[in-house]
Amino acid sequence: MAKQQIRLNARGPGILDGRQVRAMAFAPAREQLLDRILHERSWPRAGERRALVVGGGYSPLAVALRDRGFVTTAVDSSASATALGAADASGVEWRTARPSELQVEPSSFDLVYCADTLEVEADAAVILAALAAAAKPGATVVLDTVTDTLVARLIYLVAFQRLPWTRIMPSRRYSANRLRGPRLLTQASQYAGLSVDDVIGFEPKSVGSLVRAILDRRSGRITDAELPGAAGFRLSVSNHAPVVTYFAVATNDRS
């Protein structure tokens, strides 16, 4: 395999950005979720509805919201990620701030989408409170995260961080105490004034396809842009409990 340097929030020859690898692989499932909630919930007209992406890095998530008629603000704690996003995507406001200190106008967003954050931050309660504070009363808040199962631990704590041939993240980015299942996240959300209405798992088309996609990306046989098709992530087709990753779709009850 071609030797690559694992660096987050960066790109260039010989660089593998695990955050972007994950974001690109997840993009089809995330867009499928957006289309579902756009259909199922009431929204202001296109161009008048506002969305906030928290922790999206420079992934296509903010662009997907922009393309669905949202005036979109993307906030990430990495200045390099927001700079890359701003260079790539016009029509999105990119800001650098910690997820616990969003520095946005309170009660101003119809949709708040939190990605790649709860599973890497220790204090979920503070982050959930910040998300609720940014959302309008009655707004939709999407919590996109990793559950706490044996399979999730094997993938995130071992395969993604320790095994040489599937490693895409720096060591210690993920830890067991920051993986939260739907029940624990629902309880924590309630304290922040968020009512979880739905929990939806998402998964690759097969375990084999995910492994092959990671191996191919590690070796340079495919690019980030080819990851969505290779991994084939989609919403779970049954109502089984999430095995690895899931969306908790909540409503902001705070007035």
Side-chain angles (χ1 to χ4, degrees), residues 26 61 85 90 97 105 173 185 192 213 242:
F26 287 178
L61 180 55
S90 61
E105 183 182 353
R173 177 168 175 80
L185 185 58

Side-chain angles (χ1 to χ4, degrees), residues 24-238:
M24 294 301 294
F26 287 178
R30 287 173 168 171
E31 294 194 27
Q32 192 179 355
L33 175 79
L34 292 179
D35 290 336
R36 176 186 287 193
I37 62 177
L38 277 171
H39 175 73
E40 293 177 346
R41 297 189 171 212
S42 298
W43 303 92
R45 291 183 299 177
E48 296 181 359
R49 48 190 181 234
R50 297 187 65 196
L52 173 67
V53 177
V54 177
Y58 60 98
S59 79
L61 180 55
V63 172
L65 285 162
R66 179 203 67 188
D67 291 348
R68 285 162 173 77
F70 286 90
V71 178
T72 304
T73 301
V75 177
D76 195 88
S77 58
S78 166
S80 58
T82 54
L84 288 169
D88 286 346
S90 61
V92 174
E93 181 182 2
W94 298 85
R95 299 185 185 181
T96 303
R98 290 186 56 79
S100 56
E101 301 170 353
L102 294 173
Q103 301 176 24
V104 296
E105 183 182 353
S107 302
S108 55
F109 294 95
D110 303 287
L111 172 63
V112 176
Y113 193 117
C114 180
D116 194 28
T117 298
L118 292 169
E119 62 269 28
V120 297
E121 297 282 347
D123 198 342
V126 173
I127 294 168
L128 291 168
L131 300 176
K136 292 178 180 178
T140 297
V141 178
V142 176
L143 308 173
D144 175 335
T145 191
V146 182
T147 192
D148 186 11
T149 61
L150 176 59
V151 176
R153 291 186 182 212
L154 288 173
I155 292 174
Y156 276 80
L157 308 185
V158 180
F160 283 177
Q161 297 188 145
R162 297 174 61 183
L163 296 183
W165 55 91
T166 55
R167 182 171 177 255
I168 59 172
M169 295 291 185
S171 59
R172 297 187 296 276
R173 177 168 175 80
Y174 302 110
S175 64
N177 68 330
R178 295 197 294 268
L179 305 184
R180 302 175 179 92
R183 179 180 296 180
L184 183 60
L185 185 58
T186 296
Q187 292 172 345
S189 298
Q190 289 174 343
Y191 287 114
L194 302 173
S195 295
V196 173
D197 307 309
D198 202 4
V199 172
I200 307 164
F202 62 104
E203 55 206 23
K205 56 188 173 186
S206 70
V207 173
S209 68
L210 177 60
V211 172
R212 285 192 298 273
I214 295 299
L215 292 175
D216 286 345
R217 182 62 188 89
R218 282 296 314 268
S219 68
R221 288 191 292 267
I222 64 173
T223 65
D224 286 348
E226 294 171 303
L227 272 167
F233 270 89
R234 60 193 177 187
L235 301 186
S236 299
V237 295
S238 65

